[in-house]
Structure formats: C-alpha cells, structure tokens
Amino acid sequence: MNSVAGVTLQGIKAFPVEIEVETTGGLFMISVVGLPDTAVREARERVRAALRSVGIKVKGRVAVNLAPADIPKEGALLDLPMAVGIACSQAGLKVKQPSLFLGELALDGRLRAVRGAVPAAFLAKEKNLVLYVPTDNAEEVGLVEGVTAYAVPDLKSLLGHLRGETELGRIGHTMPADSVPPADPDLSDIKGQTVAKRALEIAAAGHHNILFAGAPGSGKTMLAKALQGILPPLSNSEMMEVLQLNSTAGIQMQNLRQRPFRSVHHTASAVAICGGGANMRPGEISLASRGVLFFDEFPEFSRDVLEALRQPLEDGYITVSRAAGSVVYPAKVLMVAACNPCPCGYAGDPVEHCTCTPSAIARYNRKLSGPILDRIDLHVSVPRLTPEELVAIEGKCGETSAEVRKRVTAARKIQAERWAQFGFQCNSEIPERLLRRSANIKPEVKDFLLAAVNRVRLSGRGISRVLRVARTIADIETSPRIEIQHVSEALSYREGEVLSWMKN
C-alpha cells in the first residue's frame, strides 16, 4: 500500500483509498480522478489554500488519483490525505510508515472533525496502519483498543510531526464508565397503567416489540420514553456497534453506555427510516439498533414505510440497495408503536363519544397489516386514567426504573448464558427450530397452547412469538421451565382489546 492513504465509507465499514499524486509542468491545475463526488472535487481549493498557509505553494499540473478507481469516494474525509500527498510530491515530505489520514481542512490549515473516524480506527487496527485524525475526533477514536493514533489540530502540526520537528499527542485507549444517567421519565412518575408497566418490563427483558393503543392523553408516549430507562447499559461489543453507526452518520453520542432512543415522526419517508439516499446513509431503524425505535401515531405512517419494516424487524438487519451498490446495516431495534383505536381516538372510551364513521375506522385500521401486527409481540391497551389517579400528587406510583432495571438485567444475563453457544443474546432473536428444542416447556403447556390457538387464531409466527414472550416471563421469575401461567400471560398480550379494535 502507498504510504499515504485515506478512507471512504461503505455502510459502517471503512475502505482504504490510496492517494497517488503526479506533478508535471504547465499552467497550475489540480485534477482529481477516481470517482470523486462533489465534496471531494471541491477539496482542491481547500487543499491548495491550506498548503499555502503553511508555506507550500502548489505549482504545475497536479493529478491526484484515488485508488481503487471503481469505488465511489464521498465526503470531506479525503482533504488531509490529499494535502499530505501533494506535500510529498512538491515539498519533499516523507511519510516513513504506511499511514491513514482523515480530516477536513479549513482554508487556514485547521482540521475539522469528520464522520467515519471510528470505522477508520477499526481499519487502521486491522491493517496495522498509523492513524491521524482531527483533535475533535480523538475522543471517539480512543475507545478503539489497539490502534496507533495521533490527534492533529492543524496541517502545520502534522507536517512538523512527519518531518520529526515536533511531536503530536498520541491518543490513548479509554473506556467509559458503566453508569447511565437517571431515567427520565422514571416509571414511578407514571400514574396507574400497571399492566402497561408490566408489559414494558417484559419487552425490555426479552427485547420484544410492543404496541400501545389507547385514547389521547392516556400516557402512551410517556410509557415509551420510560422504556429507555429500564434497559441495561450497552455492553462493550454493543457500544462499539452503536459507536460505528453514529460515527458513520456523524452523530455525537452523549452517553456511551446509554441505549439509543429514536422517535420518528409520521411524515418521515421510507429512506429516512430504512436508510439510503445518494450516499446510502443509515436510517432511523439502524441508528436505533440495540436501543428503542418509537413510532407515535403508528397508523398515520404511509403504507410503504410500515411494510418496509417487516424484513428488518424479522432479521435484525437491513440491506440498502441502490444503483451504486448495496450495504448492510444492523437493525436490532426494540420497536415501540403507539396508536389510537380510531381517527378521533375515542372508540371504546367510557367518557368521550367517538365521532368516526365505521368506514373511517375501517380505513384507519387497515393501515396496520396482519404481517406487521404479527411481528409485534406485545399488544397492550392503555386505558384512560381515573380522575383520582390524575389528581394524585403525593408519593411515587409503583416501582422506580432502577428497581425494574435490576430484574431486566438479571433476566438478560440468564438469556445470554442460555443462548451463548448459539450466538444469540435475547429470547426475541431465537429461531423457531431452536426455540421449540431448547425452550424447556412443560408437557401440559402444549395442550393449553393448542386450546388457546383455536380461540385466538394465531399464525405460526404468532405461536413462536408467544413462546418467546413466555420464555422471557419465566426468565424474569427465574423459572427454569415455561409453565401454564407464563404462556397464559403471554397470550393475554395477543388477544386483548387491542386486537379486537383492529378487527372492527
């Protein structure tokens, strides 16, 4: 490999780009070849001005080749390696060992932070390259163990370091604390809704998708936001996956151990949620991986968006295919959806009168197809609070999020130990063949489940999801076997008022 290299991103992976520079006589001109996008082509002026700020005047016809030539190059990630390559060609600079350079140049030579620093650090570690990144990217690069990296404040400091005149600061490895910020909102701040809180605990423990249905103001959104506070902190491997996704998208993580929470507005497009666009960026379903993805007013989303969720919810990853190629992004999300029972929101409400026509309710409910509902493990009714519950201001309302998180963490530990040999972490990920063989079901449970299937009319996928939820309930109670009461509770989240509303 050439001593001067940059990176380009494909999905959450960084690919090396060799920088080759040739200078010939003639009128001044810089040309960049190798499938550069507009941002890369515009780097010519940034690079020329930055080199001039450190005393290097670019002369002659300069050809910059970005190899391999058949891979598209995008973004401002290649500013710094192009500047170093030209400095090697015109100022006699020597890069003594193969190195990876990353950064956007200002006209005065300063380096600005760029997205993709974490994937670049993994690439440098894999290829045993020295990595040079902007100072603002140093903190996230320091989380990658085993990489040799230096923080670069400006072009002048880097050139001095490469000449041996000065020394750049080496980026040391750091690991964040295991603590997460206090839950906001806390479960104990939510009045009433005992059943919904129990369903939240089950969803968090087994990573099960959940649907809340109820009248406006019943607390659906607050319950969804409280889910983040009862999830355990990210493990090291999960944190690196989330960090790669956020670095690829150029998002700064506020707390490295806290699981993501992404709330999607119903006007969002399929590309915004699933990913794609000209540069095939990750969508909301990938940015929420290992965390919570919240869809408020679920039936208001377009049919195309809802149907696009089917594959990633089932497989845990999403493939984004465009004319330029295809990339695979992780999508291990815990989806929380909230909806009203009808357009006005008051169908079945004991206080307010529903003003919707039967045809309007039918159109509203048809937006949620059977396959989508089948991929949601828990269907929970969120009833209107009583006046006494609404005006209660003294004391806490049930257990705190910290108390529930302890049980959730213990249940997830049981699952991780049980499924470790198969490469899974949570009950929701288990394939059906493995579930039926290893779930440890009591014999009498099968007869009970057969009678329930005839009553509830579950599909094959629905039966598997009931068994997964039952396994999670048993894990919360530290029960080694799935018993009738566990299956009974799991079934109650599939045959309650929510499904009956959808059938109206």
Side-chain angles (χ1 to χ4, degrees), residues 196-268:
K197 291 180 182 179
R198 169 67 173 174
L200 273 185
E201 180 180 347
I202 297 170
H207 204 80
H208 300 290
N209 300 324
I210 185 169
L211 170 68
F212 290 124
S218 56
K220 302 184 296 293
T221 301
M222 196 171 183
L223 284 163
K225 291 180 178 179
L227 179 57
Q228 184 185 31
I230 63 175
L231 290 169
L234 290 166
S235 64
N236 289 341
S237 60
E238 291 174 332
M239 182 187 69
M240 286 301 159
E241 179 184 306
V242 174
L243 194 62
Q244 278 186 282
L245 282 163
N246 281 271
S247 179
T248 301
I251 299 173
Q252 188 71 30
M253 292 180 66
Q254 299 299 320
N255 188 290
L256 294 171
R257 291 292 185 185
Q258 189 174 35
R259 294 183 180 269
F261 180 92
R262 307 284 296 188
S263 181
V264 185
H265 194 265
H266 66 267
T267 58

Side-chain angles (χ1 to χ4, degrees), residues 178-181 183 185 187 200-208 224-235 238 257-262 288-293 332-336 401-410 412 426:
D178 292 336
S179 60
V180 294
L187 271 185
L200 273 185
E201 180 180 347
I202 297 170
H207 204 80
H208 300 290
K225 291 180 178 179
L227 179 57
Q228 184 185 31
I230 63 175
L231 290 169
L234 290 166
S235 64
E238 291 174 332
R257 291 292 185 185
Q258 189 174 35
R259 294 183 180 269
F261 180 92
R262 307 284 296 188
S289 187
R290 303 294 180 181
V292 180
L293 181 63
K332 294 184 180 293
V333 298
L334 199 170
M335 188 187 78
V336 183
S401 292
E403 293 170 332
V404 176
R405 190 192 303 126
K406 290 179 181 178
R407 292 199 298 271
V408 169
T409 304
R412 286 209 172 195
C426 296

